[in-house]
Amino acid sequence: MTDTSTPSAAQSSEAVDPEAGGVSAESGSASSAGGEQEKPESGSSDSDLFRQSEIAADYVEGLLDILDYDGDIDELVSGGRPMVEVVGGRLQPLVGQRGATLEALQELTRLAIFRATGSPSRLLLDIGGYRASRRKELAAVARNAVEKVKEHGDAVRLEPMSAFERKCVHDVVNAISGVQSESEGVEPNRRIVVRPAD
């Protein structure tokens, strides 16, 4: 059995945003997309990032073997962060309701990378194309909120979301003039508020 504990698990969970990656510094300002914007991984070369994706792929492959799931695993570096994608049939249980299981598996995989390298990782794990389809759904939610704000002039509060989901919404809102977004609340009830720009 693999021990995924780290010398400082608290440090790892506090220092790394569960999805947006990098140091978690959600400031709530619209200009920083609620602090969930992509941050360049300082001092990490492409080879370092690819090494992280290889470690992650090995870890995920081990999990799939234990759980008796079949899937093809691709490791890559995209947007300055390591990624692992698992594709195949019968993978929905590994995604879970609204991606909850996927988020947990991603955290375990990041801990495996931390254990192997001693450095926090911004690894992005996707299973069955869930993140791509969820990104499209969230873009529609964000545009709908923007329309309501522009029509009525009142702030719109969205349902609580994960860091990955909030970042998807911030990216869409912040690309539209006349509106801004910020995050409020604490996990697991942290949500986005879309309002007219100051």
Side-chain angles (χ1 to χ4, degrees), residues 110-127:
R110 286 178 171 180
L111 282 172
I113 295 171
F114 182 82
R115 181 175 169 83
T117 66
S119 300
S121 174
R122 296 175 57 240
L123 172 87
L124 185 64
L125 175 65
D126 195 10
I127 296 177

Side-chain angles (χ1 to χ4, degrees), residues 15-17 29 39 43 55 60 63 75 81 83 86 91 93 97 106 109 111-113 119 130 145 153-154 165 182 190:
V16 179
D17 189 328
S29 68
K39 297 178 180 69
I55 294 167
V60 170
L63 285 177
E75 63 241 21
R81 68 190 300 179
M83 293 183 63
V86 183
L91 294 174
Q97 185 175 7
Q106 179 173 268
T109 307
L111 282 172
I113 295 171
S119 300
Y130 171 80
D154 297 325
E165 293 172 321
E182 62 184 21
R190 193 159 173 79

Side-chain angles (χ1 to χ4, degrees), residues 54-75:
E54 288 179 324
I55 294 167
D58 289 343
Y59 182 77
V60 170
E61 183 176 16
L63 285 177
L64 292 179
D65 288 343
I66 291 168
L67 298 170
D68 196 26
Y69 280 91
D70 290 324
D72 293 325
I73 302 172
D74 294 325
E75 63 241 21

Side-chain angles (χ1 to χ4, degrees), residues 29-168:
S29 68
S31 62
S32 66
E36 290 154 357
Q37 64 190 19
E38 297 276 335
K39 297 178 180 69
E41 201 156 315
S42 57
S44 293
S45 66
D46 279 351
S47 62
D48 291 336
L49 297 176
F50 191 72
R51 173 70 182 132
Q52 290 181 25
S53 68
E54 288 179 324
I55 294 167
D58 289 343
Y59 182 77
V60 170
E61 183 176 16
L63 285 177
L64 292 179
D65 288 343
I66 291 168
L67 298 170
D68 196 26
Y69 280 91
D70 290 324
D72 293 325
I73 302 172
D74 294 325
E75 63 241 21
L76 57 149
V77 174
S78 178
R81 68 190 300 179
M83 293 183 63
V84 168
E85 297 176 347
V86 183
V87 294
R90 205 173 64 89
L91 294 174
Q92 180 55 36
L94 298 179
V95 174
Q97 185 175 7
R98 287 195 52 188
T101 306
L102 172 58
E103 294 293 334
L105 290 174
Q106 179 173 268
E107 280 305 296
L108 288 173
T109 307
R110 286 178 171 180
L111 282 172
I113 295 171
F114 182 82
R115 181 175 169 83
T117 66
S119 300
S121 174
R122 296 175 57 240
L123 172 87
L124 185 64
L125 175 65
D126 195 10
I127 296 177
Y130 171 80
R131 293 200 189 277
S133 60
R134 184 66 177 144
R135 204 174 268 120
K136 290 178 184 174
E137 293 171 6
L138 291 165
V141 169
R143 286 191 292 269
N144 185 48
V146 167
E147 287 176 14
K148 288 181 180 177
V149 170
K150 287 189 170 185
E151 182 179 347
H152 303 291
D154 297 325
V156 173
R157 282 178 171 74
L158 303 178
E159 64 183 5
M161 298 179 181
S162 69
F164 162 75
E165 293 172 321
R166 293 192 306 269
K167 184 187 181 315
C168 291

